[in-house]
Amino acid sequence: MLQGVLATANAEQNSAYPPYIYQNQYNVVSSLLLSELCRRFPNASQSEIDMILPFMETIKQPVKDGYVYLPDNYRDLLGNPSITIRPDNKDCSDPVVIDTAQEFKLANLKGGCRTVPIEMLPQNEWDSRTTSTYAFPDYDAPIGCFFGKNRFKVCPFDISVVEVRYARIEKTYVYGYITNPDDTYFFDAATSVETEWTSAAYKPFFNALSSMYAAYSRDPTLGNWSTFLIQQGIL
């Protein structure tokens, strides 16, 4: 990626564009891009879904005292959490032991489980919805609300398991390098932390980093070239 940005600017790989500046700009773009992809999910395009796949996690979390606790690597929700219920509106996570004809019937019902999304509410709506006498949440219309960064509450309160799809925290990219006597430098894999992004995200990274390099170097030619490409629909 760095080679591509410098080639566009017709610049050498030297101290005029220090690696730590490139590294910091890369991590800024990484954070902004992942936040935007999370915001668009689940209505993202296929190319956007391909970008976010390396960070996507899906888990089934038990509900403890009405709360779902998210892992330490949780960053953002991807769509709504959900529950699975049987046609008789019972939680599919309830175990079914088949010993009698009735239990066999329950097992068949469990085979028809369906997924129901949890409506996530802001805190200022939680109390009114959970005390409502006409629109109290049920298994067909469950609700949730974050109380803290890594936990949310659910209602009905007897929900036992919630499925959560989320984006995990991205690793900080580190561009390791060794400086030569002439102020040029070369990549050092031993001190680097590779990016987790795949080639699916090359275009937005290249576009953003080229623009940030133009701003850093105050190169009007590169700035004009970037503007031209944006107008032509290439960026």
Side-chain angles (χ1 to χ4, degrees):
M1 181 65 70
L2 175 59
Q3 298 289 343
V5 172
L6 292 175
T8 300
N10 195 26
E12 295 183 2
Q13 186 169 297
N14 58 34
S15 58
Y17 186 38
Y20 73 88
I21 295 294
Y22 167 73
Q23 172 185 299
N24 290 343
Q25 291 179 342
Y26 192 101
N27 286 317
V28 167
V29 173
S30 177
S31 180
L32 291 175
L33 179 59
L34 189 51
S35 292
E36 178 62 17
L37 291 171
C38 292
R39 187 186 69 79
R40 296 188 181 192
F41 199 91
N43 299 316
S45 66
Q46 185 57 53
S47 62
E48 292 167 341
I49 293 174
D50 291 341
M51 292 182 208
I52 205 171
L53 277 177
F55 309 96
M56 187 182 296
E57 303 280 351
T58 302
I59 56 173
K60 289 187 176 182
Q61 290 290 86
V63 180
K64 299 178 181 178
D65 299 323
Y67 287 96
V68 176
Y69 292 86
L70 299 169
D72 291 339
N73 69 350
Y74 165 80
R75 188 187 195 278
D76 288 296
L77 284 179
L78 294 176
N80 286 38
S82 62
I83 61 172
T84 51
I85 61 173
R86 302 194 300 252
D88 60 354
N89 286 342
K90 299 294 184 181
D91 192 336
C92 277
S93 60
D94 293 339
V96 177
V97 180
I98 304 176
D99 287 327
T100 66
Q102 178 62 22
E103 287 162 352
F104 182 77
K105 181 179 178 181
L106 288 176
N108 287 337
L109 285 173
K110 189 172 183 179
C113 287
R114 59 190 175 91
T115 299
V116 179
I118 297 174
E119 180 186 2
M120 299 302 292
L121 303 175
Q123 288 189 19
N124 60 359
E125 294 183 24
W126 177 259
D127 287 343
S128 63
R129 289 289 298 273
T130 53
T131 57
S132 171
T133 57
Y134 63 91
F136 191 81
D138 57 24
Y139 277 89
D140 282 317
I143 62 173
C145 180
F146 272 93
F147 289 88
K149 170 64 177 174
N150 281 49
R151 68 172 189 169
F152 62 89
K153 206 166 189 176
V154 293
C155 188
F157 300 108
D158 58 348
I159 292 173
S160 58
V161 175
V162 172
E163 182 169 297
V164 183
R165 179 175 294 171
Y166 69 96
R168 61 174 175 78
I169 297 171
E170 68 274 31
K171 293 179 182 178
T172 299
Y173 170 70
V174 177
Y175 184 94
Y177 65 98
I178 296 174
T179 304
N180 297 317
D182 62 354
D183 283 339
T184 61
Y185 53 85
F186 61 90
F187 178 73
D188 180 22
T191 58
S192 297
V193 176
E194 290 290 338
T195 180
E196 298 178 280
W197 295 91
T198 68
S199 58
Y202 184 88
K203 183 176 180 179
F205 264 93
F206 179 77
N207 295 346
L209 288 170
S210 295
S211 297
M212 295 180 81
Y213 174 81
Y216 175 80
S217 64
R218 299 180 181 177
D219 185 337
T221 304
L222 182 59
N224 293 338
W225 179 80
S226 298
T227 301
F228 172 77
L229 288 180
I230 291 172
Q231 291 173 346
Q232 296 299 311
I234 298 176
L235 291 182

